[in-house]
Amino acid sequence: MNPSIASPASPEQALLPLGRILAPASIAIVGASADPRSFGGFVLDNLERFGYAGAVHLVSRSSTEINGRPCVKTVDALPQGIDLAVLAIPEAGVLDAVRGLAARGTHAAVLFASGYAEAGETGRVKQEELARVARDSGILLLGPNCMGFTNFEVGVPVTFEPLAPQPAAGRAGVGVVAQSGAMAANVRDALSGRGLPLTAVVSTGNEAVLGLEDVLAHYIADAQTRVIAVYAEQVRRPQTFLRLARQAREAGKPVVMLMPGRSARAREAAQSHTGALAGDHATASAALAREAVVLVDSLDELFDAAAILLRFPVPPSGGPAFMTGSGAMKNIALDFCDALDLDLPALGEQTTARLQAMLPAYAVAENPLDYTTISVRQPGLVGELLLAMLADDNIGSIVLSIPAGPTVAQRDKAEHIVPALARAEKPAVLVVTGDAGPIEPFFVDAIRASGVPFFRSPDRALRALRRVTAYGEALQRARRANQVDPVAVALPAPRPPSGVFAEYQGKAWLAAAGVAVPAGGLAQSVEDAATIAASLGYPVVIKAQASELPHKSDVGGVIIGLGDEAALRAGWQQLQDNVARHRPGLRLDGVLVEKMGERGLELVVGARRDAGWGPVVLVGLGGIWIEALEDVRLLPADLAEEDIVTELGRLKAASLLRGIRGAAAVDVRAIARVVALIGTQMRANPAILEIDVNPLLAYPDRVLALDALVVCAAPQA
């Protein structure tokens, strides 16, 4: 399946109710077969195994009865008003079947067949026709090219995989939605293998009618769904998805999402560095993170973060503690957390004193904690240490990493350590090291009964907690989001015919918005340039100005370091000759003459508007280094200044901001203000597509925008 090429529905169409498809009172299997290994046979077998109590109708050309159930030959013979039809037939017969079902007043349908948009242009046309017929008929269509769904809450398995019922009634669980049927099954099996309840699992396939967003809305409204796990290759209705993610955040329902595509080549953007670096996946990730979607990088992280958040839906407000009885494991944890950029907070003085009173004199009361060999004689003391660490306000969660050990040690851990973990009110995770080494069944049973998230790898546990910790941080950022009303501070931008501002125009607009730019003026002649330079004081820089010339340096359109009038006049001629040679016939608006700025730290600040996801801003190391290092942070356009400061500290080159090798620290707050100003103007001006300030020079007491590119949507003719 390749849903990324499937034909999308209208961009932000109304959400569709899923009651009659996920909890149908009656089901028709179109393409029922006595062959138990056929798609229709698997569906019928699943329904019977789950004890589905609703009416089941079978449509089969070759059989008169299956498993004692009568069959009809065509959909025309079905009763009126069936809730759900399962289309277990080849693509060639689907359209006629849907038309027949529409005539019988069928409310919803699940379509397994492939051969639609994933198969190329011919398939796309077929899918568009199928979607049109379904919509016009009021049929809620799931698929095509999907594996159906299983609603564990009410026991409705409409899929062609053999499934066993799971006790879900009355238990809060995970709702799964995936565009890939294989991934839906993968997540289902991984979570159910851990004994975690599932409310429903839905595979949306090509999403001709029903999509991720419709299922997400259902899970948000469903009282039993506590965590939502999503696998998405393409979000077709980004603004709807973001609105629903916001609702999930406000409802306290974590959305854990795996979205491949980071390695795909970013969309080509000829105008700016910002456009080149803010690729589709990066832009979507920044927008989703704004709504506290838990974005993960792997299936393991999807399984693990969902498992922790199901047990602890209130995320931590600080980094984790790590406990072990091994000095070697303590050192490994230190290195691994450093590589993950996962902070291990220092313990408070009271906690340190409390731990020291319980530990041997040779143990160090710190985070990570090596409690040495005390568990051999006093297994209950490990639980007391754990709860003492969790009581520290600095600690947001905890990982306890222990070996399985001999049977007697496992009995001690089951009876003393697991109950302590189960009492934890903050996220608490148990790691039993030893990879696939055996664990006694009574120990496994105790862990499962406790509901404590359980791992065999400290690496996986810490990776998952990094995501869970980031979720807590994202919730706090959302509460601190820039509350400035963009309409109140909107600075409407003039729209040049080409949509691209010349530098002097872009700088004038940015200056009016509050961004400092160098003193200067636009010259139409060398005499104008000399007058402007004399008023500014030498040295000066001159730059060719035209909206058709966004990258002036590429054509020799920038001359720097002109120290007197003679140098200015020579530089003027050189600039004119360079432009004429590289861009013959180009008419300049003029030449910008500016006072040469002092050397400072070069940064880039930019913004980009994605047609689906909206605006994001970018900040990082600028000048020539942006292309060499790509050391940037992509941020939501409404991020609060204090959070922008935090993101600046996460740059690889953050030490440059603080000052190294005798250099003074730069004004990080001033940088953050520029980022916030640009984000606010992007929110306020839908016509602005891109802004690229490169470089933004940072000094100990100020910042200065040396170059600026602003791109708007060209005015409509």
Side-chain angles (χ1 to χ4, degrees):
M1 186 191 75
N2 184 5
S4 65
I5 61 171
S7 58
S10 58
E12 302 299 337
Q13 69 186 40
L15 293 166
L16 300 170
L18 301 190
R20 272 185 153 164
I21 193 169
L22 294 185
S26 54
I27 296 175
I29 302 176
V30 182
S33 170
D35 180 358
R37 300 187 67 82
S38 67
F39 281 9
F42 280 127
V43 172
L44 179 58
D45 187 52
N46 278 333
L47 290 172
E48 292 179 341
R49 188 182 302 111
F50 274 62
Y52 174 69
V56 177
H57 305 273
L58 305 182
V59 179
S60 174
R61 291 183 176 180
S62 58
S63 301
T64 56
E65 64 87 24
I66 299 172
N67 293 358
R69 298 176 182 270
C71 301
V72 297
K73 296 295 184 184
T74 69
V75 296
D76 298 332
L78 288 170
Q80 282 286 132
I82 289 175
D83 278 345
L84 175 65
V86 182
L87 297 171
I89 58 177
E91 176 272 323
V94 166
L95 199 58
D96 285 343
V98 171
R99 290 191 175 110
L101 291 169
R104 306 304 296 161
T106 305
H107 297 289
V110 172
L111 176 56
F112 300 141
S114 57
Y116 290 92
E118 83 285 353
E121 186 58 31
T122 301
R124 186 190 304 277
V125 172
K126 291 179 183 177
Q127 182 167 311
E128 289 173 352
E129 175 67 4
L130 172 66
R132 184 190 64 76
V133 170
R135 287 198 188 93
D136 290 350
S137 307
I139 291 179
L140 299 178
L141 177 67
L142 182 65
N145 192 24
C146 77
M147 289 177 65
F149 71 89
T150 302
N151 186 339
F152 289 101
E153 285 189 84
V154 296
V156 182
V158 180
T159 182
F160 53 83
E161 286 185 290
L163 291 180
Q166 296 184 15
R171 295 200 298 167
V174 181
V176 179
V177 57
Q179 288 169 332
S180 160
M183 288 301 102
N186 203 332
V187 178
R188 177 199 67 210
D189 292 347
L191 296 180
S192 62
R194 293 185 176 194
L196 301 179
L198 298 162
T199 54
V201 178
V202 182
S203 158
T204 58
N206 287 15
E207 300 187 347
V209 176
L210 290 173
L212 290 172
E213 297 79 10
D214 304 295
V215 183
L216 185 59
H218 171 81
Y219 286 146
I220 292 168
D222 179 52
Q224 292 303 113
T225 299
R226 177 178 286 176
V227 176
I228 303 166
V230 180
Y231 175 85
E233 294 175 11
Q234 179 189 24
V235 177
R236 293 181 172 84
R237 291 178 272 170
Q239 290 303 311
T240 300
F241 196 99
L242 290 174
R243 174 170 57 80
L244 291 167
R246 189 174 310 123
Q247 291 176 11
R249 166 169 62 80
E250 292 168 350
K253 294 191 176 187
V255 177
V256 186
M257 182 173 182
L258 176 59
M259 183 175 60
R262 285 180 305 148
S263 61
R265 180 173 297 173
R267 179 188 303 168
E268 290 189 10
Q271 298 292 351
S272 73
H273 293 104
T274 300
L277 291 172
D280 293 344
H281 189 276
T283 298
S285 297
L288 290 164
R290 162 64 179 85
E291 300 304 340
V293 173
V294 185
L295 293 169
V296 298
D297 289 338
S298 68
L299 280 169
D300 285 350
E301 289 186 355
L302 182 66
F303 308 150
D304 299 344
I308 295 173
L309 287 168
L310 179 61
R311 174 65 177 81
F312 299 99
V314 178
S317 57
F322 189 91
M323 279 183 62
T324 178
S326 162
M329 186 61 72
K330 172 181 176 177
N331 293 333
I332 290 171
L334 282 167
D335 283 348
F336 195 70
C337 289
D338 184 68
L340 289 177
D341 194 25
L342 180 60
D343 179 48
L344 292 168
L347 301 174
E349 291 182 5
Q350 289 185 341
T351 305
T352 301
R354 186 178 174 191
L355 295 179
Q356 202 65 67
M358 291 187 277
L359 290 166
Y362 53 84
V364 180
E366 62 181 3
N367 182 25
L369 176 66
D370 172 13
Y371 55 76
T372 69
T373 59
I374 61 169
S375 61
V376 176
R377 291 177 176 268
Q378 298 174 283
L381 190 55
V382 176
E384 293 180 35
L385 290 166
L386 182 143
L387 293 173
M389 292 186 79
L390 272 181
D392 192 307
D393 290 340
N394 295 340
I395 300 301
S397 59
I398 198 163
V399 176
L400 175 62
S401 179
I402 56 177
T407 300
V408 63
Q410 293 190 43
R411 182 74 65 185
D412 287 341
K413 290 161 186 171
E415 293 178 354
H416 297 285
I417 293 176
V418 171
L421 284 162
R423 292 199 300 273
E425 295 181 359
K426 298 176 184 178
V429 170
L430 175 63
V431 176
V432 178
T433 56
D435 197 23
I439 302 178
E440 295 288 351
F442 66 79
F443 191 12
V444 174
D445 291 344
I447 294 168
R448 287 234 172 147
S450 73
V452 172
F454 171 54
F455 296 83
R456 296 303 306 266
S457 159
D459 295 7
R460 279 186 64 166
L462 288 167
R463 285 187 187 279
L465 268 183
R466 177 182 64 158
R467 299 302 182 189
V468 172
T469 303
Y471 172 57
E473 294 171 351
L475 291 177
Q476 295 175 37
R477 281 200 306 271
R479 288 191 286 269
R480 291 191 298 264
N482 187 347
Q483 300 300 318
V484 173
D485 179 4
V487 177
V489 297
L491 187 68
R495 297 168 74 178
S498 67
V500 180
F501 283 58
E503 179 190 352
Y504 73 97
Q505 295 169 318
K507 279 184 172 175
W509 181 76
L510 285 171
V515 180
V517 301
L522 189 67
Q524 300 297 329
S525 67
V526 70
E527 299 302 331
D528 288 346
T531 300
I532 295 169
S535 68
L536 296 173
Y538 290 95
V540 297
V541 58
I542 59 174
K543 305 178 185 180
Q545 298 295 296
S547 61
E548 295 88 347
L549 204 58
H551 300 299
K552 301 170 289 294
S553 297
D554 294 348
V555 299
V558 179
I559 311 289
I560 66 173
L562 302 175
D564 54 33
E565 184 173 336
L568 171 67
R569 291 180 180 276
W572 178 279
Q573 190 58 52
Q574 180 185 347
L575 181 146
Q576 300 292 337
D577 292 344
N578 289 344
V579 173
R581 182 170 63 256
H582 288 94
R583 295 290 302 272
L586 176 65
R587 181 178 178 85
L588 297 179
D589 293 358
V591 174
L592 183 60
V593 183
E594 290 182 333
K595 177 73 174 175
M596 278 285 292
E598 302 171 20
R599 290 178 63 86
L601 180 62
E602 293 188 354
L603 301 170
V604 59
V605 176
R608 172 179 179 262
R609 185 179 308 281
D610 182 89
W613 295 103
V616 292
V617 294
L618 172 146
V619 62
L621 206 61
I624 63 171
W625 299 111
I626 187 172
E627 296 177 8
L629 302 179
E630 296 188 0
D631 184 15
V632 298
R633 305 293 296 180
L634 199 63
L635 312 172
D638 65 348
L639 201 62
E641 281 188 24
E642 65 182 280
D643 292 311
I644 296 171
V645 169
T646 299
E647 292 293 333
L648 287 166
R650 289 173 174 162
L651 290 167
K652 299 171 190 172
S655 59
L656 296 176
L657 302 174
R658 297 187 291 269
I660 59 173
R661 299 179 68 91
V666 300
D667 190 341
V668 175
R669 287 281 173 185
I671 300 168
R673 280 193 293 273
V674 170
V675 175
L677 281 170
I678 286 177
T680 298
Q681 291 303 325
M682 288 294 291
R683 293 160 57 208
N685 285 282
I688 299 178
L689 303 180
E690 289 186 28
I691 298 173
D692 199 55
V693 178
N694 183 34
L696 177 78
L697 284 186
Y699 302 101
D701 59 347
R702 61 195 171 96
V703 293
L704 190 66
L706 285 198
D707 199 357
L709 175 69
V710 179
V711 181
C712 290
Q716 296 295 320

